[in-house]
Amino acid sequence: MRIFVLGAGATGSLLAQLLERQGHTVWCGDRDPGRARRFLGKRSTIPIATVNARNLRGIVRAARGCQLIVNASASVFNLIVMRAALHLRAHYLDLSSHLTRHPFKAEQFALAKRFEEKRRAAVINAGAAPGLTNLLVKRAAESMDEVDSVRIRLYESTESRDPVSQWSPEGSFDEAISSPRVYRNGKFRMEKRFAELEKFQFSAPIGSAAVVLAAQDEVATLPYNIAMRNMDVKIGGNEFDRLRRWYRQGKLSKSRGLVRERFPQTSSPRAIAKLIRQGVLQNARFAAVVLVNGTQRDPKHDYRMLVRTDCLFPTLYQIRQQGLFTTSVAYSTAHVAVQFVKFFPRETPGVFAPEMLEAEARRGIIAGARASGIKITTKNKSLRAGDDDDEEG
């Protein structure tokens, strides 16, 4: 395919290179081509166009001739980039939602009818979390006759003296100031930021970590596509602990705005290499756990069960061993996104969350994620009367 990637930062630049290795014709657009070139590297021959993601006409000019537009820039631009794709009669893919118009439903679905009319497909939230996490929830739900609860637990940790952004500063700040969305007893509601502290047991080598409610996009699609009663997402790790501390100190609010010393620009590969040499950055970890509680039925009995799936993404140290200098989050998101492109539903028009894809595509994406170094393990546990549904060991 001919693919235009808008936003050539840590994730977009790596995704563009992975797509090129798959044999696609790829070019990028970014408001700062010089910075984009630093992320792509001097050896890369991928072209870069100067384009502002706020400018619909600019995107159309830069992406002309493409068959797929990937929005790897901020999610606030999703609808603009989708309209550009429609103008060009191109397919569309993005990595996350912004959830401003409707806090409980992904905004990309507002254009579903137009994509159907143009006979083009849009795949949304096609990264690691959201993205891979959605697929794992769907896979677990398919093993049950009834789903009671879905819990997603994420872990992000950076071993560094100073804050090192794994996401874009805008994305990190937006998540930090947003109220978490939960689905409780069949209804959506907002909860307080950094609320409902719990100790969660991640798999080794992480172990026990405090997690709190966080604003994640999975809650804005999964309850619409899988019948369930409850769902929430919590995040832990030193990066989120730092945000929680700033929030409790009154240093984190929309009115204060984005403070650069707290939310630095995402480091380029060269900058990451320098931080490692200086001893500022030692390692970084990213992990996800999906827990689905439900019931299996046969003519004589109902069986309660818990399906737990652990995802351990490559650490910064493991990524360095491959000769790459990027964050764990960017590496994981790009490698999963490239699998969504590989199994893109080009013949089926509409807007699709990951869990809405055909079973064969979902299986292929999970297998491709494993092949890229993401360790995925699943355990099924039968729950008897009196068993603790929250047993995560």
Side-chain angles (χ1 to χ4, degrees):
M1 274 197 291
R2 299 186 300 276
I3 303 175
F4 176 73
V5 178
L6 180 62
T11 301
S13 62
L14 179 55
L15 175 57
Q17 293 174 82
L18 293 172
L19 290 169
E20 186 182 49
R21 289 176 201 168
Q22 281 193 350
H24 300 288
T25 299
V26 182
W27 67 105
C28 295
D30 200 281
R31 64 181 179 180
D32 187 345
R35 178 173 173 271
R37 181 56 64 193
R38 290 193 292 274
F39 276 99
L40 284 167
K42 293 181 179 180
R43 294 182 181 180
S44 173
T45 59
I46 295 174
I48 306 170
T50 303
V51 58
N52 189 326
R54 299 180 186 275
N55 189 324
L56 174 63
R57 291 183 179 180
I59 298 170
V60 170
R61 283 195 301 270
R64 195 172 301 280
C66 76
Q67 296 169 296
L68 170 68
I69 294 182
V70 176
N71 182 23
S73 68
S75 59
V76 68
F77 304 123
N78 281 340
L79 294 182
I80 298 174
V81 186
M82 291 180 83
R83 291 189 182 101
L86 288 166
H87 186 88
L88 294 167
R89 297 186 66 84
H91 300 291
Y92 171 86
L93 181 142
D94 65 36
L95 308 175
S96 61
S97 296
H98 193 57
L99 303 174
T100 50
R101 294 189 175 187
H102 192 314
F104 302 121
K105 188 171 185 178
E107 71 277 2
Q108 299 98 315
F109 287 111
L111 296 177
K113 186 175 181 180
R114 291 190 60 189
F115 271 87
E116 291 171 5
E117 291 170 349
K118 293 280 187 177
R119 301 203 57 78
R120 293 296 180 268
V123 176
I124 67 171
N125 299 352
L132 180 59
T133 47
N134 298 60
L135 301 182
L136 297 174
V137 170
K138 176 69 172 179
R139 186 178 68 172
E142 287 180 324
S143 68
M144 303 175 182
D145 294 300
E146 182 178 303
V147 175
D148 177 57
S149 69
V150 172
R151 291 167 291 158
I152 298 174
R153 301 295 182 258
L154 305 174
Y155 181 87
E156 300 173 19
S157 179
T158 303
E159 297 172 21
S160 63
R161 295 202 311 258
D162 305 313
V164 177
S165 181
Q166 294 219 56
W167 303 97
S168 71
E170 294 80 11
S172 297
F173 178 71
D174 185 61
E175 180 182 61
I177 64 171
S178 297
S179 297
R181 302 158 189 87
V182 300
Y183 188 68
R184 300 271 166 82
N185 296 316
K187 294 182 179 180
F188 292 99
R189 70 173 191 240
M190 306 295 275
E191 288 291 352
K192 293 181 179 179
R193 285 186 284 160
F194 306 102
E196 299 186 18
L197 177 70
E198 72 173 79
K199 284 286 186 181
F200 184 80
Q201 190 70 28
F202 290 91
S203 58
I206 297 172
S208 179
V211 295
V212 291
L213 287 175
Q216 278 287 122
D217 300 337
E218 292 94 336
V219 182
T221 67
L222 281 165
Y224 292 98
N225 299 306
I226 300 172
M228 65 179 73
R229 283 190 286 273
N230 302 285
M231 181 178 179
D232 62 38
V233 184
K234 295 185 179 182
I235 302 181
N238 65 1
E239 290 193 359
F240 220 71
D241 290 343
R242 186 185 294 125
L243 293 175
R244 182 167 173 262
R245 183 172 66 252
W246 288 341
Y247 173 70
R248 296 176 71 180
Q249 294 171 348
K251 298 177 180 178
L252 188 62
S253 66
K254 190 173 184 178
S255 60
R256 281 179 171 266
L258 192 158
V259 180
R260 285 295 177 187
E261 65 184 25
R262 296 195 183 106
F263 296 91
Q265 287 287 350
T266 309
S267 299
S268 68
R270 180 176 292 183
I272 288 178
K274 183 178 179 181
L275 290 172
I276 292 171
R277 288 197 304 271
Q278 293 174 339
V280 173
L281 177 60
Q282 291 84 41
N283 204 358
R285 296 187 185 278
F286 181 35
V289 181
V290 168
L291 303 110
V292 180
N293 284 78
T295 303
Q296 281 185 337
R297 294 192 174 95
D298 66 25
K300 294 184 179 180
H301 300 284
D302 290 352
Y303 298 92
R304 292 171 55 242
M305 63 184 300
L306 167 66
V307 178
R308 171 176 172 145
T309 306
D310 286 72
C311 296
L312 278 177
F313 301 97
T315 65
L316 178 65
Y317 178 76
Q318 291 168 329
I319 295 168
R320 284 167 52 197
Q321 290 180 315
Q322 299 180 34
L324 298 174
F325 292 92
T326 187
T327 68
S328 299
V329 168
Y331 179 96
S332 304
T333 303
H335 277 78
V336 176
V338 79
Q339 296 302 319
F340 276 97
V341 174
K342 183 177 180 180
F343 293 93
F344 196 89
R346 297 174 65 176
E347 304 303 320
T348 309
V351 176
F352 303 94
E355 66 273 15
M356 297 168 66
L357 298 176
E358 294 292 334
E360 184 178 354
R362 289 186 274 110
R363 287 193 295 268
I365 294 165
I366 294 171
R370 278 197 173 103
S372 68
I374 299 171
K375 185 179 179 182
I376 302 174
T377 56
T378 299
K379 294 181 180 179
N380 297 342
K381 179 181 179 181
S382 297
L383 300 175
R384 298 178 181 178
D387 276 359
D388 186 355
D389 284 14
D390 294 326
E391 178 62 44
E392 290 117 4

